[in-house]
Amino acid sequence: DAGVTQSPTHLIKTRGQQVTLRCSPKSGHDTVSWYQQALGQGPQFIFQYYEEEERQRGNFPDRFSGHQFPNYSSELNVNALLLGDSALYLCASSLERRGSYNEQFFGPGTRLTVL
Amino acid sequence: AQSVTQPDIHITVSEGASLELRCNYSYGATPYLFWYVQSPGQGLQLLLKYFSGDTLVQGIKGFEAEFKRSQSSFNLRKPSVHWSDAAEYFCAVLRGSGNTGKLIFGQGTTLQVKP
């Protein structure tokens, strides 16, 4: 049973560029959440996708956008990159079950460096 | 606003010694609380969680945690630490309802294990 996978593993970009990160959820999962983890910090929630729509969003600017595909995989897009966007980006998937907590399973992350 | 505080940024213990990692939360109602571990190059792995009921919860890898409402704490413990426990540990609280909730993480505690 494949867990959550993310690509690429590492990425180097320059300021002002745009980046796309990808996530495949754990088999059977239909909900994807994205987190940003800056160096020395805990992960911060960016947004969550369910049924191909953004269901909830954290305190991140509009430069951060996402998409969920019919196969439940997801992309995170960041435009106009800033040095402060350098971080580990984590994807977490879960199975939607109304009325109960849906455990989130995390991928290994994509390390983004902005120069 | 909900928040999670991990007072100890870095802890060093000898192999075989006991361990306690501190976590304090601020939340009005009974929180859903979690402890995650992150090894280098790995995603977050859930160690244990507390939703309700018995305030002492058992997790994987020999870890346990105790929920103390009067102290707003959810400290992680292990009676005898192994070298493989060296990692980053994160305490988290769930904000929102079960199926749409987002995890709010503490800053993390880095555990170093001396031989």
Side-chain angles (χ1 to χ4, degrees):
Chain A
D1 178 23
V4 179
T5 60
Q6 293 185 243
S7 64
T9 305
H10 296 87
L11 203 52
I12 298 175
K13 292 286 189 178
T14 56
R15 281 178 296 174
Q17 285 189 312
Q18 178 265 343
V19 69
T20 298
L21 310 181
R22 295 176 176 81
C23 171
S24 291
K26 182 178 168 65
S27 178
H29 285 185
D30 56 8
T31 304
V32 173
S33 301
W34 286 91
Y35 292 81
Q36 180 196 64
Q37 184 178 12
L39 198 61
Q41 303 295 318
Q44 284 192 289
F45 176 80
I46 304 175
F47 42 52
Q48 184 182 80
Y49 276 84
Y50 173 67
E51 292 187 338
E52 302 180 47
E53 290 191 359
E54 182 182 294
R55 175 160 69 179
Q56 193 172 179
R57 188 178 184 91
N59 189 25
F60 279 80
D62 292 344
R63 297 187 297 109
F64 289 77
S65 63
H67 189 78
Q68 185 178 35
F69 299 93
N71 67 353
Y72 309 120
S73 66
S74 176
E75 287 182 349
L76 164 65
N77 300 293
V78 187
N79 294 323
L81 284 167
L82 303 174
L83 294 180
D85 295 331
S86 295
L88 180 67
Y89 288 85
L90 296 166
C91 170
S93 72
S94 57
L95 174 62
E96 172 78 4
R97 288 175 299 181
R98 296 191 185 282
S100 66
Y101 171 68
N102 307 308
E103 182 175 339
Q104 296 183 31
F105 291 78
F106 285 83
T110 293
R111 172 72 62 188
L112 172 65
T113 302
V114 182
L115 302 177
Chain B
Q2 289 170 273
S3 67
V4 177
T5 302
Q6 295 181 244
D8 305 304
I9 295 175
H10 199 113
I11 283 185
T12 300
V13 299
S14 298
E15 190 169 15
S18 64
L19 171 70
E20 182 169 32
L21 302 182
R22 297 184 290 164
C23 172
N24 295 99
Y25 66 90
S26 66
Y27 187 55
T30 299
Y32 285 13
L33 293 161
F34 308 82
W35 274 100
Y36 284 87
V37 62
Q38 185 177 38
S39 299
Q42 304 292 318
L44 296 167
Q45 181 182 23
L46 180 65
L47 286 175
L48 47 78
K49 59 184 181 284
Y50 172 78
F51 292 171
S52 64
D54 192 349
T55 57
L56 184 64
V57 292
Q58 302 297 320
I60 62 172
K61 303 185 179 186
F63 286 93
E64 66 178 27
E66 186 171 13
F67 171 63
K68 293 185 177 180
R69 183 188 301 277
S70 61
Q71 298 177 19
S72 297
S73 70
F74 188 56
N75 294 349
L76 182 72
R77 300 194 295 247
K78 186 170 185 177
S80 177
V81 170
H82 188 261
W83 64 267
S84 61
D85 293 324
E88 187 89 16
Y89 291 81
F90 293 95
C91 180
V93 63
L94 186 71
R95 179 175 182 178
S97 62
N99 59 323
T100 61
K102 61 183 181 182
L103 293 168
I104 307 297
F105 288 88
Q107 189 174 358
T109 298
T110 301
L111 173 65
Q112 184 178 0
V113 180
K114 294 189 301 184

